[in-house]
Coordinates of all heavy atoms in Angstrom, one line a residue:
M28 N 0.8 -1.2 0.0 CA 0.0 0.0 0.0 C 0.9 1.3 0.0 O 0.5 2.2 -0.7 CB -0.9 0.0 1.2 CG -1.7 1.2 1.4 SD -3.0 1.5 0.1 CE -4.4 1.5 1.1
R29 N 2.0 1.2 0.7 CA 2.8 2.4 0.8 C 3.5 2.8 -0.6 O 3.5 3.9 -0.9 CB 3.9 2.2 1.8 CG 3.3 2.1 3.2 CD 4.4 2.5 4.3 NE 3.9 2.2 5.6 CZ 3.1 3.1 6.3 NH1 2.8 4.2 5.8 NH2 2.7 2.8 7.5
A30 N 3.9 1.7 -1.3 CA 4.4 2.0 -2.6 C 3.3 2.5 -3.6 O 3.6 3.4 -4.4 CB 5.0 0.7 -3.2
E31 N 2.1 2.0 -3.4 CA 1.0 2.4 -4.3 C 0.7 3.9 -3.9 O 0.4 4.7 -4.8 CB -0.2 1.6 -4.0 CG -1.3 1.9 -5.0 CD -2.5 1.0 -4.8 OE1 -2.5 0.1 -3.9 OE2 -3.5 1.1 -5.6
L32 N 0.8 4.3 -2.7 CA 0.5 5.7 -2.3 C 1.6 6.6 -2.9 O 1.2 7.7 -3.3 CB 0.5 5.8 -0.7 CG -0.8 5.5 0.0 CD1 -0.6 5.7 1.5 CD2 -1.9 6.3 -0.5
R33 N 2.8 6.2 -2.8 CA 3.9 7.0 -3.4 C 3.7 7.2 -4.9 O 3.8 8.3 -5.4 CB 5.2 6.3 -3.1 CG 6.4 7.0 -3.7 CD 6.7 8.3 -3.0 NE 7.9 8.9 -3.7 CZ 8.5 9.8 -3.1 NH1 8.3 10.3 -2.0 NH2 9.5 10.4 -3.8
D34 N 3.3 6.2 -5.6 CA 3.1 6.3 -7.1 C 1.9 7.2 -7.3 O 1.9 8.0 -8.2 CB 2.8 4.9 -7.7 CG 4.1 4.0 -7.6 OD1 5.2 4.5 -7.5 OD2 3.9 2.8 -7.8
T35 N 0.8 7.0 -6.6 CA -0.4 7.8 -6.7 C -0.1 9.3 -6.4 O -0.5 10.1 -7.2 CB -1.5 7.3 -5.8 OG1 -1.8 5.9 -6.1 CG2 -2.8 8.1 -5.9
A36 N 0.7 9.5 -5.4 CA 1.0 10.9 -5.0 C 1.8 11.5 -6.2 O 1.6 12.7 -6.5 CB 1.8 10.9 -3.7
G37 N 2.7 10.8 -6.8 CA 3.5 11.3 -7.9 C 2.7 11.7 -9.0 O 2.8 12.8 -9.6
A38 N 1.7 10.9 -9.4 CA 0.8 11.2 -10.5 C -0.1 12.4 -10.1 O -0.4 13.2 -11.0 CB -0.1 9.9 -10.8
L39 N -0.6 12.4 -8.9 CA -1.4 13.6 -8.4 C -0.7 14.9 -8.5 O -1.2 15.9 -8.9 CB -2.0 13.3 -7.0 CG -3.2 12.4 -6.9 CD1 -3.4 12.2 -5.4 CD2 -4.4 13.0 -7.5
A40 N 0.6 14.8 -8.0 CA 1.4 16.0 -8.0 C 1.5 16.6 -9.4 O 1.4 17.9 -9.5 CB 2.8 15.7 -7.4
K41 N 1.7 15.8 -10.4 CA 1.8 16.3 -11.7 C 0.6 16.9 -12.3 O 0.6 17.9 -13.0 CB 2.3 15.2 -12.7 CG 3.7 14.7 -12.4 CD 4.1 13.5 -13.3 CE 5.5 13.0 -12.9 NZ 5.8 11.8 -13.6
L42 N -0.6 16.4 -11.8 CA -1.9 17.0 -12.2 C -2.2 18.3 -11.5 O -2.8 19.2 -12.0 CB -3.0 16.0 -11.9 CG -3.1 14.8 -12.8 CD1 -4.2 13.8 -12.4 CD2 -3.4 15.2 -14.3
L43 N -1.8 18.4 -10.2 CA -2.1 19.5 -9.4 C -1.2 20.7 -9.6 O -1.7 21.9 -9.8 CB -2.1 19.2 -7.9 CG -3.1 18.1 -7.5 CD1 -2.8 17.7 -6.0 CD2 -4.5 18.6 -7.6
W44 N 0.1 20.5 -9.7 CA 1.0 21.6 -9.7 C 2.2 21.3 -10.6 O 2.7 20.2 -10.6 CB 1.6 22.0 -8.3 CG 0.5 22.3 -7.3 CD1 -0.4 23.3 -7.5 CD2 0.3 21.8 -6.0 NE1 -1.2 23.4 -6.3 CE2 -0.7 22.4 -5.4 CE3 1.0 20.8 -5.3 CZ2 -1.2 22.2 -4.2 CZ3 0.6 20.5 -4.0 CH2 -0.5 21.2 -3.5
R45 N 2.7 22.3 -11.4 CA 3.9 22.1 -12.2 C 5.1 22.0 -11.3 O 6.0 21.2 -11.5 CB 4.1 23.3 -13.1 CG 3.2 23.3 -14.3 CD 3.4 24.5 -15.2 NE 2.9 25.6 -14.3 CZ 3.3 26.9 -14.5 NH1 4.1 27.2 -15.5 NH2 2.8 27.8 -13.8
E46 N 5.1 22.8 -10.2 CA 6.2 22.7 -9.2 C 5.7 22.1 -8.0 O 4.8 22.5 -7.4 CB 6.7 24.2 -8.9 CG 7.2 25.0 -10.1 CD 7.4 26.4 -9.7 OE1 7.9 26.6 -8.6 OE2 7.2 27.2 -10.6
H47 N 6.4 21.0 -7.5 CA 6.0 20.3 -6.4 C 7.2 19.5 -5.8 O 8.1 19.2 -6.5 CB 4.8 19.4 -6.7 CG 5.1 18.4 -7.8 ND1 4.9 18.7 -9.1 CD2 5.7 17.2 -7.8 CE1 5.2 17.7 -9.8 NE2 5.8 16.7 -9.0
I48 N 7.0 19.1 -4.6 CA 7.9 18.2 -3.9 C 7.1 17.0 -3.3 O 6.0 17.3 -2.7 CB 8.7 18.9 -2.7 CG1 9.5 20.0 -3.3 CG2 9.6 17.9 -2.0 CD1 10.0 21.0 -2.2
V49 N 7.5 15.8 -3.5 CA 6.8 14.7 -2.9 C 7.7 14.0 -2.0 O 8.9 13.7 -2.4 CB 6.3 13.7 -4.0 CG1 5.6 12.5 -3.4 CG2 5.4 14.3 -5.1
Y50 N 7.3 13.7 -0.8 CA 8.1 13.1 0.2 C 7.3 12.3 1.2 O 6.1 12.5 1.3 CB 9.0 14.0 0.9 CG 8.3 15.1 1.8 CD1 8.1 14.9 3.1 CD2 7.8 16.3 1.2 CE1 7.4 15.8 3.9 CE2 7.2 17.2 2.0 CZ 6.9 17.0 3.3 OH 6.3 17.9 4.1
R51 N 7.9 11.4 2.0 CA 7.3 10.7 3.1 C 7.6 11.4 4.4 O 8.8 11.7 4.7 CB 7.7 9.2 3.1 CG 6.9 8.4 4.0 CD 7.3 6.9 3.8 NE 7.2 6.4 2.5 CZ 6.1 6.0 1.9 NH1 4.9 6.1 2.5 NH2 6.1 5.5 0.7
D52 N 6.6 11.6 5.2 CA 6.8 12.3 6.5 C 7.2 11.3 7.6 O 7.3 10.1 7.3 CB 5.7 13.2 6.9 CG 4.4 12.4 7.3 OD1 4.4 11.2 7.3 OD2 3.4 13.1 7.5
R53 N 7.4 11.8 8.8 CA 7.8 10.9 9.9 C 6.9 9.7 10.2 O 7.4 8.7 10.6 CB 8.0 11.7 11.2 CG 9.2 12.6 11.2 CD 9.3 13.3 12.4 NE 8.3 14.5 12.3 CZ 8.3 15.5 13.2 NH1 9.0 15.5 14.2 NH2 7.4 16.4 13.0
V54 N 5.6 9.9 10.0 CA 4.7 8.9 10.3 C 4.3 8.0 9.1 O 3.5 7.1 9.2 CB 3.4 9.4 11.0 CG1 3.7 10.0 12.3 CG2 2.7 10.4 10.1
G55 N 4.9 8.2 8.0 CA 4.7 7.4 6.8 C 3.7 7.9 5.8 O 3.5 7.2 4.9
H56 N 3.1 9.0 6.0 CA 2.2 9.6 5.1 C 3.0 10.2 3.9 O 4.1 10.7 4.1 CB 1.3 10.7 5.7 CG 0.5 10.2 6.8 ND1 -0.1 11.1 7.7 CD2 0.3 9.0 7.3 CE1 -0.7 10.4 8.6 NE2 -0.5 9.1 8.4
V57 N 2.4 10.2 2.7 CA 3.1 10.8 1.6 C 2.5 12.2 1.4 O 1.3 12.4 1.5 CB 2.8 10.0 0.3 CG1 3.4 10.6 -0.9 CG2 3.3 8.5 0.4
V58 N 3.4 13.2 1.3 CA 3.1 14.6 1.3 C 3.5 15.2 -0.1 O 4.6 14.9 -0.6 CB 3.7 15.3 2.4 CG1 3.4 16.8 2.4 CG2 3.4 14.7 3.8
I59 N 2.6 16.0 -0.6 CA 2.9 16.8 -1.8 C 2.9 18.2 -1.4 O 1.8 18.7 -0.9 CB 1.8 16.5 -2.9 CG1 1.6 15.0 -3.2 CG2 2.2 17.3 -4.2 CD1 0.3 14.8 -4.0
R60 N 4.0 18.9 -1.6 CA 4.1 20.3 -1.2 C 4.1 21.2 -2.5 O 4.9 20.9 -3.4 CB 5.3 20.6 -0.4 CG 5.3 20.1 1.0 CD 6.6 20.4 1.7 NE 6.9 21.8 1.9 CZ 6.8 22.4 3.1 NH1 6.4 21.7 4.2 NH2 7.1 23.7 3.2
G61 N 3.3 22.2 -2.5 CA 3.3 23.2 -3.6 C 3.8 24.5 -3.0 O 2.9 25.3 -2.5
E62 N 5.1 24.7 -2.9 CA 5.6 25.9 -2.2 C 5.1 27.2 -2.9 O 4.8 28.1 -2.2 CB 7.1 25.9 -2.3 CG 7.8 24.7 -1.5 CD 7.7 24.8 0.0 OE1 7.5 26.0 0.5 OE2 7.9 23.8 0.6
H63 N 5.0 27.2 -4.2 CA 4.6 28.4 -4.9 C 3.1 28.8 -4.6 O 2.8 29.9 -4.8 CB 4.8 28.2 -6.4 CG 4.0 27.1 -7.0 ND1 4.1 25.8 -6.7 CD2 3.0 27.2 -7.9 CE1 3.3 25.1 -7.4 NE2 2.6 25.9 -8.2
V64 N 2.3 27.8 -4.2 CA 0.9 28.2 -3.8 C 0.7 28.1 -2.3 O -0.5 28.3 -1.9 CB -0.1 27.2 -4.6 CG1 -0.1 27.5 -6.1 CG2 0.2 25.8 -4.3
Q65 N 1.7 27.8 -1.6 CA 1.7 27.7 -0.1 C 0.6 26.7 0.4 O -0.1 27.0 1.3 CB 1.4 29.1 0.5 CG 2.5 30.1 0.2 CD 3.8 29.7 0.9 OE1 3.9 29.6 2.1 NE2 4.8 29.3 0.1
R66 N 0.5 25.6 -0.3 CA -0.4 24.5 0.1 C 0.3 23.2 0.1 O 1.3 22.9 -0.6 CB -1.6 24.5 -0.9 CG -2.4 25.7 -1.0 CD -3.3 26.0 0.1 NE -4.0 27.2 0.0 CZ -3.6 28.4 0.5 NH1 -2.5 28.5 1.1 NH2 -4.4 29.5 0.3
W67 N -0.3 22.2 0.9 CA 0.2 20.9 0.9 C -1.0 19.9 0.9 O -2.1 20.2 1.3 CB 1.0 20.6 2.1 CG 0.4 20.8 3.4 CD1 0.4 21.9 4.2 CD2 -0.4 19.8 4.2 NE1 -0.3 21.8 5.3 CE2 -0.8 20.5 5.3 CE3 -0.8 18.5 3.9 CZ2 -1.6 19.8 6.3 CZ3 -1.6 17.9 4.9 CH2 -2.0 18.6 6.1
I68 N -0.8 18.7 0.4 CA -1.7 17.6 0.4 C -1.0 16.4 1.0 O 0.2 16.2 0.7 CB -2.1 17.2 -1.1 CG1 -3.0 18.3 -1.7 CG2 -2.8 15.9 -1.1 CD1 -4.4 18.3 -1.3
S69 N -1.7 15.6 1.8 CA -1.1 14.3 2.3 C -2.0 13.2 2.0 O -3.2 13.3 2.0 CB -0.7 14.4 3.8 OG -1.9 14.3 4.6
L70 N -1.4 12.0 1.7 CA -2.2 10.8 1.5 C -1.7 9.8 2.6 O -0.5 9.6 2.8 CB -1.9 10.2 0.1 CG -2.5 11.0 -1.0 CD1 -1.5 12.1 -1.5 CD2 -2.7 10.1 -2.2
A71 N -2.7 9.2 3.2 CA -2.4 8.2 4.3 C -3.3 7.0 4.1 O -4.5 7.2 3.8 CB -2.6 8.8 5.6
P72 N -2.8 5.8 4.4 CA -3.7 4.7 4.4 C -4.7 4.7 5.5 O -4.5 5.3 6.5 CB -2.7 3.5 4.6 CG -1.5 4.0 5.2 CD -1.4 5.5 4.8
T73 N -5.9 4.2 5.3 CA -6.9 4.1 6.3 C -7.1 2.6 6.7 O -6.3 1.8 6.2 CB -8.3 4.6 5.8 OG1 -8.7 3.8 4.8 CG2 -8.1 6.1 5.3
G74 N -8.0 2.4 7.5 CA -8.3 1.0 7.9 C -8.9 0.2 6.8 O -8.7 -1.0 6.7
G75 N -9.5 0.9 5.8 CA -10.0 0.2 4.6 C -8.9 -0.3 3.7 O -7.9 0.4 3.6
R76 N -9.1 -1.3 3.0 CA -8.1 -1.9 2.1 C -7.8 -1.0 0.9 O -6.7 -0.9 0.5 CB -8.6 -3.3 1.7 CG -7.6 -4.0 0.8 CD -8.1 -5.4 0.5 NE -7.4 -5.8 -0.7 CZ -6.4 -6.7 -0.7 NH1 -6.0 -7.2 0.4 NH2 -5.8 -7.1 -1.8
D77 N -8.9 -0.4 0.3 CA -8.7 0.4 -0.9 C -8.9 1.9 -0.7 O -9.1 2.6 -1.6 CB -9.7 -0.1 -1.9 CG -9.6 0.6 -3.3 OD1 -8.5 0.8 -3.7 OD2 -10.7 1.0 -3.8
E78 N -8.8 2.3 0.6 CA -9.1 3.7 0.9 C -7.9 4.5 1.3 O -6.9 3.9 1.8 CB -10.1 3.8 2.0 CG -11.5 3.3 1.7 CD -12.5 3.3 2.8 OE1 -12.0 3.4 4.0 OE2 -13.7 3.4 2.5
V79 N -7.9 5.8 1.0 CA -6.8 6.7 1.3 C -7.4 7.9 2.0 O -8.5 8.4 1.6 CB -6.0 7.0 0.1 CG1 -6.8 7.8 -0.9 CG2 -4.8 7.8 0.5
L80 N -6.8 8.4 3.0 CA -7.2 9.6 3.7 C -6.4 10.8 3.0 O -5.2 10.7 3.1 CB -6.9 9.6 5.2 CG -7.1 10.9 5.9 CD1 -8.6 11.3 5.9 CD2 -6.6 10.8 7.4
I81 N -7.1 11.7 2.4 CA -6.5 12.9 1.8 C -6.7 14.1 2.7 O -7.9 14.3 3.1 CB -7.0 13.1 0.4 CG1 -6.8 11.9 -0.5 CG2 -6.4 14.3 -0.2 CD1 -7.4 12.0 -1.9
R82 N -5.7 14.8 3.1 CA -5.8 15.9 3.9 C -5.1 17.1 3.2 O -4.1 16.9 2.4 CB -5.1 15.7 5.2 CG -5.7 14.6 6.0 CD -4.9 14.1 7.2 NE -4.8 15.2 8.1 CZ -3.7 15.5 8.8 NH1 -2.6 14.8 8.7 NH2 -3.6 16.5 9.7
A83 N -5.6 18.3 3.4 CA -5.0 19.5 2.7 C -4.8 20.6 3.8 O -5.6 20.7 4.7 CB -5.9 20.0 1.6
G84 N -3.8 21.4 3.6 CA -3.5 22.5 4.5 C -2.6 23.6 3.8 O -2.3 23.5 2.6
R85 N -2.3 24.5 4.6 CA -1.4 25.6 4.2 C 0.0 25.5 4.6 O 0.3 24.8 5.6 CB -1.9 27.0 4.8 CG -3.3 27.3 4.3 CD -3.8 28.7 4.9 NE -3.8 28.6 6.3 CZ -3.2 29.6 7.1 NH1 -2.6 30.6 6.6 NH2 -3.3 29.4 8.4
I86 N 0.9 26.1 3.9 CA 2.3 26.2 4.3 C 2.5 27.6 4.8 O 2.2 28.6 4.2 CB 3.3 25.9 3.1 CG1 3.1 24.5 2.6 CG2 4.7 26.1 3.5 CD1 3.8 24.2 1.3
L87 N 3.0 27.7 6.0 CA 3.1 29.0 6.7 C 4.5 29.6 6.3 O 5.3 29.0 5.8 CB 3.1 28.8 8.2 CG 1.8 28.1 8.8 CD1 2.0 27.8 10.2 CD2 0.6 28.9 8.5
D88 N 4.6 30.9 6.7 CA 5.8 31.6 6.5 C 6.9 30.8 7.2 O 6.8 30.3 8.3 CB 5.8 33.0 7.0 CG 4.8 33.9 6.2 OD1 4.6 33.6 5.1 OD2 4.4 34.9 6.8
G89 N 8.1 30.7 6.6 CA 9.2 29.9 7.1 C 9.2 28.5 6.7 O 10.1 27.7 7.1
G90 N 8.1 28.0 6.0 CA 8.1 26.7 5.5 C 7.4 25.6 6.4 O 7.3 24.5 5.9
T91 N 7.0 26.0 7.6 CA 6.3 25.0 8.4 C 4.9 24.8 7.9 O 4.3 25.7 7.2 CB 6.2 25.4 9.9 OG1 5.6 26.6 10.0 CG2 7.6 25.5 10.4
T92 N 4.3 23.7 8.2 CA 2.9 23.4 7.7 C 1.9 23.6 8.8 O 2.2 23.2 10.0 CB 2.8 21.9 7.2 OG1 3.2 21.0 8.2 CG2 3.7 21.7 6.0
A93 N 0.8 24.2 8.5 CA -0.3 24.4 9.4 C -1.0 23.1 9.4 O -1.0 22.3 8.5 CB -1.2 25.5 8.9
P94 N -1.8 22.9 10.5 CA -2.6 21.7 10.6 C -3.6 21.6 9.4 O -3.9 22.6 8.8 CB -3.4 21.8 11.9 CG -2.6 22.8 12.7 CD -1.9 23.7 11.7
A95 N -4.0 20.4 9.1 CA -5.0 20.2 7.9 C -6.2 21.0 8.1 O -6.7 21.1 9.2 CB -5.3 18.7 7.8
R96 N -6.7 21.6 7.0 CA -7.9 22.4 7.1 C -9.1 21.6 6.6 O -10.2 21.9 6.9 CB -7.8 23.6 6.1 CG -6.7 24.5 6.5 CD -6.9 25.2 7.8 NE -6.9 26.6 7.7 CZ -7.2 27.4 8.6 NH1 -7.5 27.0 9.8 NH2 -7.1 28.7 8.4
S97 N -8.9 20.6 5.8 CA -10.0 19.7 5.4 C -9.4 18.3 5.0 O -8.2 18.2 4.8 CB -10.7 20.4 4.2 OG -9.7 20.7 3.2
E98 N -10.3 17.4 5.0 CA -9.9 16.0 4.7 C -11.1 15.2 4.1 O -12.2 15.6 4.3 CB -9.3 15.3 5.9 CG -10.2 15.2 7.1 CD -9.6 14.6 8.3 OE1 -8.4 14.9 8.6 OE2 -10.2 13.8 9.0
A99 N -10.7 14.1 3.5 CA -11.7 13.2 2.9 C -11.1 11.8 2.7 O -9.9 11.7 2.5 CB -12.1 13.8 1.5
V100 N -12.0 10.8 2.8 CA -11.6 9.4 2.6 C -12.1 9.1 1.2 O -13.3 9.3 0.9 CB -12.1 8.5 3.7 CG1 -11.8 7.1 3.3 CG2 -11.6 8.9 5.0
V101 N -11.2 8.6 0.4 CA -11.5 8.3 -1.0 C -11.0 6.9 -1.4 O -9.8 6.6 -1.0 CB -10.9 9.4 -2.0 CG1 -11.3 9.1 -3.4 CG2 -11.3 10.7 -1.5
P102 N -11.7 6.1 -2.2 CA -11.2 4.8 -2.6 C -10.1 5.1 -3.7 O -10.2 5.9 -4.6 CB -12.3 4.1 -3.2 CG -13.4 5.1 -3.4 CD -13.1 6.3 -2.6
L103 N -8.9 4.4 -3.5 CA -7.9 4.5 -4.5 C -8.3 4.0 -5.9 O -7.8 4.5 -6.9 CB -6.6 3.7 -4.1 CG -5.7 4.4 -3.1 CD1 -4.6 3.4 -2.7 CD2 -5.1 5.6 -3.7
S104 N -9.2 3.1 -5.9 CA -9.7 2.6 -7.2 C -10.5 3.6 -8.0 O -10.8 3.4 -9.2 CB -10.6 1.3 -7.0 OG -11.7 1.7 -6.2
A105 N -10.8 4.8 -7.4 CA -11.5 5.8 -8.1 C -10.7 6.4 -9.3 O -11.3 7.0 -10.2 CB -11.9 7.0 -7.1
G106 N -9.4 6.2 -9.2 CA -8.6 6.7 -10.3 C -8.0 8.1 -10.0 O -8.5 8.8 -9.1
T107 N -6.9 8.4 -10.7 CA -6.2 9.6 -10.5 C -7.0 10.9 -10.7 O -6.9 11.8 -10.0 CB -4.9 9.6 -11.3 OG1 -4.2 8.4 -11.1 CG2 -4.0 10.8 -11.0
G108 N -7.8 10.9 -11.8 CA -8.6 12.0 -12.1 C -9.6 12.4 -10.9 O -9.8 13.5 -10.6
A109 N -10.3 11.3 -10.4 CA -11.2 11.5 -9.3 C -10.5 12.0 -8.0 O -11.0 12.9 -7.3 CB -12.0 10.3 -9.0
L110 N -9.3 11.4 -7.8 CA -8.5 11.8 -6.6 C -8.1 13.3 -6.8 O -8.1 14.0 -5.8 CB -7.3 10.9 -6.4 CG -7.6 9.5 -6.0 CD1 -6.3 8.6 -6.1 CD2 -8.2 9.4 -4.6
A111 N -7.7 13.7 -8.0 CA -7.3 15.0 -8.2 C -8.4 16.0 -8.0 O -8.2 17.1 -7.4 CB -6.7 15.2 -9.6
A112 N -9.6 15.6 -8.4 CA -10.8 16.5 -8.2 C -11.1 16.7 -6.7 O -11.4 17.8 -6.2 CB -12.0 15.9 -8.8
V113 N -10.9 15.6 -5.9 CA -11.1 15.7 -4.4 C -10.0 16.6 -3.9 O -10.3 17.5 -3.0 CB -11.1 14.3 -3.8 CG1 -11.0 14.4 -2.3 CG2 -12.3 13.5 -4.2
C114 N -8.8 16.4 -4.3 CA -7.7 17.3 -3.8 C -7.9 18.8 -4.2 O -7.7 19.6 -3.3 CB -6.3 16.9 -4.5 SG -5.7 15.3 -3.9
R115 N -8.4 19.1 -5.4 CA -8.7 20.4 -5.7 C -9.7 21.1 -4.8 O -9.7 22.2 -4.4 CB -9.1 20.5 -7.2 CG -7.9 20.3 -8.1 CD -8.3 20.5 -9.6 NE -7.2 20.2 -10.4 CZ -7.0 19.2 -11.2 NH1 -8.0 18.2 -11.2 NH2 -6.0 19.0 -12.0
R116 N -10.8 20.3 -4.5 CA -11.8 20.7 -3.6 C -11.3 21.0 -2.2 O -11.6 22.0 -1.6 CB -13.0 19.7 -3.6 CG -14.1 20.2 -2.7 CD -15.3 19.2 -2.6 NE -14.9 17.9 -2.3 CZ -14.7 17.4 -1.1 NH1 -14.8 18.1 -0.1 NH2 -14.4 16.1 -0.9
L117 N -10.5 20.1 -1.7 CA -9.9 20.3 -0.4 C -8.9 21.5 -0.4 O -8.9 22.2 0.6 CB -9.1 19.0 0.0 CG -10.0 17.8 0.2 CD1 -9.1 16.6 0.6 CD2 -11.0 18.0 1.3
L118 N -8.2 21.7 -1.4 CA -7.3 22.8 -1.5 C -8.1 24.1 -1.6 O -7.7 25.1 -1.0 CB -6.4 22.7 -2.8 CG -5.3 21.6 -2.6 CD1 -4.7 21.3 -4.0 CD2 -4.2 22.1 -1.7
A119 N -9.2 24.1 -2.3 CA -10.0 25.3 -2.3 C -10.6 25.6 -1.0 O -10.7 26.8 -0.6 CB -11.2 25.1 -3.3
D120 N -11.0 24.6 -0.2 CA -11.5 24.8 1.1 C -10.4 25.4 2.0 O -10.6 26.3 2.8 CB -11.9 23.5 1.8 CG -13.2 22.9 1.1 OD1 -13.9 23.7 0.4 OD2 -13.5 21.7 1.4
A121 N -9.2 24.9 1.9 CA -8.0 25.4 2.7 C -7.7 26.8 2.3 O -7.4 27.7 3.2 CB -6.8 24.5 2.5
A122 N -7.8 27.2 1.0 CA -7.6 28.6 0.6 C -8.7 29.5 1.1 O -8.4 30.6 1.5 CB -7.5 28.6 -0.9
A123 N -9.9 29.0 1.1 CA -11.0 29.8 1.6 C -10.9 30.1 3.1 O -11.2 31.2 3.6 CB -12.4 29.2 1.3
D124 N -10.4 29.1 3.8 CA -10.2 29.3 5.3 C -9.1 30.2 5.6 O -9.1 30.9 6.6 CB -9.9 27.9 6.0 CG -11.1 27.0 6.1 OD1 -12.2 27.5 5.9 OD2 -10.9 25.8 6.3
A125 N -8.1 30.3 4.7 CA -7.0 31.2 4.9 C -7.3 32.6 4.5 O -6.6 33.6 4.9 CB -5.8 30.7 4.1
A126 N -8.3 32.9 3.6 CA -8.6 34.2 3.2 C -9.2 35.0 4.3 O -10.0 34.6 5.0 CB -9.6 34.1 2.0
P127 N -8.7 36.3 4.4 CA -9.3 37.1 5.5 C -10.7 37.5 5.1 O -11.1 37.6 4.0 CB -8.4 38.4 5.4 CG -7.8 38.4 4.0 CD -7.7 36.9 3.6
S128 N -11.5 37.5 6.2 CA -12.9 37.8 6.0 C -13.1 39.3 5.7 O -12.3 40.1 6.2 CB -13.8 37.3 7.2 OG -13.3 38.0 8.3
A129 N -14.2 39.6 5.0 CA -14.5 41.0 4.7 C -14.9 41.7 6.0 O -15.5 41.1 6.8 CB -15.6 41.1 3.7
P130 N -14.6 43.0 6.1 CA -15.0 43.8 7.3 C -16.5 43.7 7.5 O -17.2 43.9 6.5 CB -14.5 45.2 7.1 CG -13.5 45.1 6.0 CD -13.8 43.8 5.2
G131 N -16.9 43.5 8.7 CA -18.4 43.5 9.0 C -19.1 42.2 8.7 O -20.2 42.1 9.0
R132 N -18.3 41.2 8.2 CA -18.9 39.9 8.0 C -18.4 38.9 9.0 O -17.3 38.8 9.3 CB -18.5 39.4 6.6 CG -19.3 40.1 5.5 CD -18.9 39.5 4.1 NE -19.2 38.1 4.1 CZ -18.8 37.3 3.2 NH1 -18.1 37.7 2.2 NH2 -19.1 36.0 3.2
A133 N -19.3 38.1 9.5 CA -19.0 37.1 10.5 C -18.5 35.9 9.7 O -19.1 35.6 8.6 CB -20.1 36.7 11.4
R134 N -17.6 35.1 10.2 CA -17.1 33.9 9.5 C -17.8 32.7 10.0 O -18.1 32.5 11.1 CB -15.6 33.7 9.6 CG -14.9 34.7 8.8 CD -13.4 34.4 8.8 NE -13.2 33.1 8.1 CZ -12.1 32.6 7.9 NH1 -11.0 33.2 8.2 NH2 -11.9 31.4 7.3

């Protein structure tokens, strides 16, 4: 499963961003970093055999990562295109959470 996650992450990274870094973190999750957009995506195995937990968040000033802003469990068999669509939705959620709210509007 770990090798499959690494391969899937590499394919997703190419669909999501032209510039990216793919690596394995300390706990074994595969992380895709898009420094130029200040966002990250991680893929982690779940208890399900064919499922992956996808999490998205921001990269803070100085290069550290903020906690995940959104996450979803998706079957790996859905295919790279479907996984990329989920990643884009999660990244959009993370971007919306990071955007400053307009004056006078409650969040």
Side-chain angles (χ1 to χ4, degrees):
M28 174 68 116
R29 295 201 187 276
E31 186 177 5
L32 278 182
R33 176 71 182 196
D34 294 341
T35 300
L39 280 174
K41 291 175 185 174
L42 288 175
L43 296 172
W44 301 308
R45 284 178 293 158
E46 301 173 34
H47 57 268
I48 300 169
V49 178
Y50 64 93
R51 190 172 305 280
D52 68 6
R53 287 180 280 190
V54 294
H56 301 169
V57 179
V58 179
I59 307 166
R60 285 177 69 107
E62 298 286 342
H63 63 294
V64 292
Q65 297 295 295
R66 300 285 180 267
W67 60 266
I68 290 279
S69 74
L70 288 86
T73 65
R76 184 178 158 100
D77 180 46
E78 294 179 335
V79 62
L80 172 65
I81 301 176
R82 299 170 61 218
R85 296 181 301 131
I86 299 173
L87 303 174
D88 292 338
T91 60
T92 57
R96 300 296 238 177
S97 53
E98 60 185 39
V100 176
V101 182
L103 275 175
S104 60
T107 308
L110 292 172
V113 170
C114 288
R115 287 184 183 107
R116 181 178 50 82
L117 296 176
L118 289 165
D120 290 348
D124 286 346
S128 61
R132 287 185 54 192
R134 287 189 63 173

